Structure formats: C-alpha cells, structure tokens
Amino acid sequence: ANGYGTLTARDGTEALVKYLRHKESIGAVITDVVMPNLDGPGVIRALYSIDPKVKIIAMSGLAIDEQIDKSIRPMVHSYLQKPYSACTLLHTLHHVLTKPPRHIAVGVE
C-alpha cells in the first residue's frame, strides 16, 4: 500500500537465507532483537559480515539498551521500540533508505 515490497522470515536463519538469495533487491532489513534459532544480534552480525553496507533497523518490545550490545550498535541504522505505529515504521524506513551510506572505520592498534 505504501510502495514497498517485503520478504518475511520466521526466524533469523531463514532471514539470512532470504537475504543471500535476494540481497541485490533489498534496500533495508528490519529485524526483531529476540527471535528463535538465531537472535537479532546474531542476524545483524551475519548480515554485516555479508554486506557491511546493509541498512538495518532493529526493533524490540524490551528496552533497546538492554537488548543491543555495544559491538553491534555501529551496524544498526535505526531502532524501533514496540509498540510502534505504521506511520513511525514508514518514517523510519524512509529515513534509513534515503540517508547516505555510512563508512565505518576500523582501527588496528
């Protein structure tokens, strides 16, 4: 209804399989933090290792600060706290899709 196509997955493992199959046509990934088989942080790390330019929106019904460990924060472009409205989701998705890609520098000591 709002011009976006979607792919859905039942769990993190299925999400990764679908991402690998369709990554050329995926503009952003929206993932819950708590999922069966492979949790959100695991999915985020795997997606980032596949494609460091992937745009990720993480969501949770629990406090985001409690659910997202610091090592994956730089990989996530935006957070949604449940419950959220369709308007909030669409605004967040538009913002993430239109913002320029981030370049994350990795330093070696």
Side-chain angles (χ1 to χ4, degrees), residues 1 6 62 67-68 90 105:
T6 59
L62 304 172
Q67 295 296 310
I68 301 290
L90 290 168

Side-chain angles (χ1 to χ4, degrees), residues 88-99:
T88 298
L89 173 60
L90 290 168
H91 176 77
T92 301
L93 185 57
H94 175 76
H95 177 73
V96 167
L97 289 172
T98 58
K99 129 177 151 170

Side-chain angles (χ1 to χ4, degrees), residues 76-88:
V76 175
H77 289 72
S78 190
Y79 300 94
L80 288 171
Q81 183 73 46
K82 292 181 191 175
Y84 52 85
S85 67
C87 184
T88 298

Side-chain angles (χ1 to χ4, degrees), residues 32-34 41 44-45 58-74 76 78-82:
D32 204 323
V33 175
V34 179
I44 291 166
R45 284 187 195 94
M59 66 175 161
S60 180
L62 304 172
I64 293 291
D65 286 339
E66 296 171 12
Q67 295 296 310
I68 301 290
D69 77 50
K70 291 178 184 172
S71 69
I72 62 169
R73 285 183 191 274
V76 175
S78 190
Y79 300 94
L80 288 171
Q81 183 73 46
K82 292 181 191 175

Side-chain angles (χ1 to χ4, degrees), residues 9 11-23 47 50:
D11 58 38
T13 304
E14 184 180 342
L16 289 178
V17 169
K18 286 190 176 187
Y19 186 79
L20 286 168
R21 286 186 187 148
H22 304 281
K23 70 180 179 177
L47 288 169
I50 293 165

